[in-house]
Amino acid sequence: MILAVVAFNMVYAHRVSLRHDSFDLQVYAGAVHSWWHGGSLYGYGLPDDGRSWGFTYPPFAAIIMGPMAVLPWPAISTIQAFASAAATPLILALLLRWTAQRRVWWLPLVVAAADVLLVPFEPWDSTLSYGQINILLLALVAVDLLVALPRRHVLTGIGIGVATAVKLTPAIFIAYLLIIRERRAAFTAAATAAGVTLLSAVAAPHESIDFWTSKLFDIQRIGEPSWTDNQSLNGTMHRVYPHGATMFWVAATALVLAVWLWRVRRSGGLADRVAGFALAAIVACLISPMTWVYHLVWLIPALAVLFDHAAARDVPGRRRLVALVGLLAAYGLLCSHLVWHTYNGLLGFLTANLYVLVSLALLIGLPLRPPGRQRARPRGAHRLGRASQPLEGVSA
């Protein structure tokens, strides 16, 4: 069944890629091709809507995308579509495995149903239509936090480190590891990110200096922060307080980080890895200078936590109902495309910042299991067999 899910995702990715012509993937391929053939990595630009769009990631990302310099476009688009198509059910399986075990549901069927429900989910749809890489980064982090970390594997942190070296946003998970006192994993992640970045600097010194001293701080190069596309706190502040946006953004970021820390501490360090994963991902979306709509695939873990809570037999009925309402509301709003509708007054503010408000609501209201109940053995677990025993610390 999982192969059928991957095939379905491949077909869907091909169909929706026609909408935006995999524009971001074209930028990646064009910049890497230009660089590997003597041009400038950050000097390349693909014109669209009166702007020139260039490569926005560190040189390490361009190095691992090196095959794009020699492969034909059909091969590049097919490989990227397959990678996203395969990464999606992997992520869903890791997020939903404990819920399925506890309710004695067949995990492949749960994954297939969840995958179909992603079709109208705008962040996932946009990721595929633009040829973005966020699903792949999400998979790297998910494997680290939901497979390697519960097993205390010595390599825990490498996935987070690689993801951070490709794109800075996943660095929030290094902070998360420190907060929950997983110091070895945090050190491995930080060392991996630093190591591959330094190796990239040796391989591409000019591009590394250009990125880390100039391009990193040029937000305008990525786009206008005030655009509705930017569903981060920075985007909201630029839309509401255009002349003092940076100051308000810094203050809002500090407040969000404080709430995050309070929630993690209050939950006893979050032995529930899925909830910890979800909260860190929400914070990453909120505090990033630019959070395009397709970046909000990082909210998928939060939806999984809401589903887990709504389906739990050991949670009081009222809390299950609240979780279900929250799940339907968050999922529905993220599928609504209301963010693109223009209105005046308060309604205009709400729609223009809709996904920011959803992220804030998830940060504050995401249900967490009491620490003493996070390792309870599910009913019927004895029927699942030895191979189906839950991993320690996975969303119980």
Side-chain angles (χ1 to χ4, degrees):
M1 179 169 285
I2 296 300
L3 291 178
V5 172
V6 174
F8 169 80
N9 289 343
M10 282 284 291
V11 172
Y12 186 75
H14 173 71
R15 186 177 73 84
V16 299
S17 67
L18 302 177
R19 187 189 311 149
H20 295 113
D21 296 323
S22 298
F23 184 82
D24 287 10
L25 185 61
Q26 287 192 57
V27 173
Y28 305 155
V32 171
H33 184 274
S34 172
W35 181 40
W36 281 62
H37 290 82
S40 170
L41 177 62
Y42 297 107
Y44 173 85
L46 186 63
D48 184 61
D49 290 337
R51 293 178 64 102
S52 182
W53 300 92
F55 197 78
T56 61
Y57 301 137
F60 173 67
I63 291 174
I64 62 176
M65 293 179 185
M68 292 184 181
V70 295
L71 290 175
W73 173 251
I76 293 173
S77 59
T78 300
I79 292 172
Q80 196 279 339
F82 175 77
S84 296
T88 298
L90 170 63
I91 294 165
L92 293 174
L94 294 177
L95 292 173
L96 299 171
R97 60 187 301 191
W98 186 223
T99 306
Q101 286 180 1
R102 182 160 41 77
R103 294 305 303 264
V104 199
W105 292 337
W106 190 38
L107 182 58
L109 183 60
V110 175
V111 169
D115 189 272
V116 171
L117 289 173
L118 284 179
V119 169
F121 186 66
E122 187 178 4
W124 188 71
D125 177 87
S126 295
T127 290
L128 297 181
S129 65
Y130 280 98
Q132 262 285 332
I133 63 172
N134 291 285
I135 283 289
L136 306 182
L137 302 182
L138 182 60
L140 284 174
V141 176
V143 170
D144 249 1
L145 293 183
L146 305 182
V147 178
L149 185 60
R151 295 180 177 180
R152 296 292 190 270
H153 198 283
V154 68
L155 298 180
T156 303
I158 288 181
I160 292 173
V162 171
T164 301
V166 171
K167 185 174 184 176
L168 298 180
T169 303
I172 192 72
F173 294 101
I174 300 177
Y176 166 67
L177 290 171
L178 290 173
I179 291 172
I180 63 173
R181 299 181 181 179
E182 296 288 351
R183 296 183 180 89
R184 185 177 69 178
F187 173 80
T188 300
T192 299
V196 297
T197 298
L198 289 174
L199 289 175
S200 301
V202 173
H206 179 268
E207 289 72 19
S208 295
I209 293 172
D210 189 18
F211 178 82
W212 294 107
T213 63
S214 175
K215 297 298 186 293
L216 175 63
F217 307 101
D218 184 7
I219 301 300
Q220 299 288 336
R221 180 177 60 94
I222 303 174
E224 296 295 332
S226 62
W227 287 349
T228 303
D229 309 58
N230 183 15
Q231 289 294 304
S232 71
L233 289 171
N234 189 41
T236 297
M237 297 308 165
H238 273 84
R239 287 187 286 273
V240 178
Y241 305 107
H243 300 296
T246 300
M247 179 182 66
F248 286 107
W249 171 49
V250 171
T253 294
L255 180 59
V256 162
L257 290 173
V259 171
W260 176 46
L261 181 60
W262 172 72
R263 294 218 70 196
V264 174
R265 294 293 190 188
R266 186 169 176 267
S267 64
L270 280 176
D272 183 347
R273 301 300 185 197
V274 177
F277 182 11
L279 284 175
I282 293 166
V283 171
C285 293
L286 285 169
I287 69 175
S288 174
M290 303 290 284
T291 298
W292 300 129
V293 169
Y294 43 66
H295 293 154
L296 296 174
V297 293
W298 290 94
L299 298 184
I300 291 175
L303 299 181
V305 171
L306 288 168
F307 175 72
D308 176 77
H309 216 75
R313 290 173 174 168
D314 60 336
V315 172
R318 182 174 297 180
R319 292 187 63 185
R320 292 173 62 185
L321 178 60
V322 171
L324 178 60
V325 171
L327 171 62
L328 295 176
Y331 172 75
L333 290 173
L334 288 164
C335 295
S336 68
H337 297 265
L338 281 173
V339 72
W340 307 114
H341 292 256
T342 303
Y343 301 100
N344 295 322
L346 177 60
L347 183 58
F349 169 81
L350 293 175
T351 55
N353 300 285
L354 182 61
Y355 297 164
V356 180
L357 297 174
V358 170
S359 298
L360 286 170
L362 289 172
L363 173 65
I364 296 169
L366 194 72
L368 306 176
R369 291 177 175 275
R373 294 168 58 185
Q374 290 171 357
R375 301 190 183 196
R377 183 180 177 86
R379 295 181 184 179
H382 62 281
R383 287 177 282 169
L384 298 175
R386 180 181 181 89
S388 297
Q389 295 303 312
L391 295 178
E392 181 184 24
V394 177
S395 183

